Structure formats: C-alpha cells, structure tokens
Amino acid sequence: MEWNRPWAQIPYGSRTIAVSEAESHLRRLVKLGRAEAVPGSDPATYVAVRATGHPPRRPAPSRPRPPRRNPARPVTPPT
C-alpha cells in the first residue's frame, strides 16, 4: 500500500489506525469475494478477483446530469 507521506513520518497512533482501517476494508473485500489471499505468501498478500454473479459497473454518464431540483423552492411553470 501507499500512504500520503513516508511511513516514518506518520505518528505511531495514526499508523495503528491506518493499518486497522486498511485491514477492515480488505476483510470486507474478501467476504464479498472481491479479493483473496495468496497461499503461502509472507507477509500476507491479497489479489483482486472479479466476483461472479455481479453485473459489471455501469459506465459513467457521457453527459452531465441536470441539476437536482430543490424541493424547498416551488417550481414556476413557464409562461
């Protein structure tokens, strides 16, 4: 993993939190079938896998979406 600055410059408490959060995300990906451990790797290494039965993600819209209406403001019909 890469961090936003060199590991030695990250305070110890922040390192613990960062590693715990990364591990939590990784466990979730394994549970969803999106990652798996590489057998026999030391330290533990994981690879991404494509989960079966899930449709591929939809591509981003090619044109911008219109702005959302604010429900607090009444819509005035054109005259």
Side-chain angles (χ1 to χ4, degrees):
M1 283 186 84
E2 293 182 13
W3 306 96
N4 62 351
R5 55 188 155 174
W7 190 247
Q9 292 179 7
I10 299 175
Y12 179 78
S14 296
R15 290 182 198 182
T16 303
I17 292 168
V19 170
S20 296
E21 185 176 354
E23 181 185 20
S24 173
H25 287 289
L26 186 55
R27 287 176 185 255
R28 176 78 174 149
L29 290 171
V30 169
K31 186 176 182 177
L32 294 173
R34 303 294 303 267
E36 61 185 23
V38 175
S41 60
D42 185 32
T45 304
Y46 291 80
V47 292
V49 294
R50 181 82 177 146
T52 58
H54 294 281
R57 291 183 155 204
R58 293 185 305 174
S62 57
R63 57 191 161 98
R65 292 182 178 171
R68 292 185 179 184
R69 289 190 348 205
N70 183 347
R73 287 181 35 203
V75 176
T76 309
T79 55

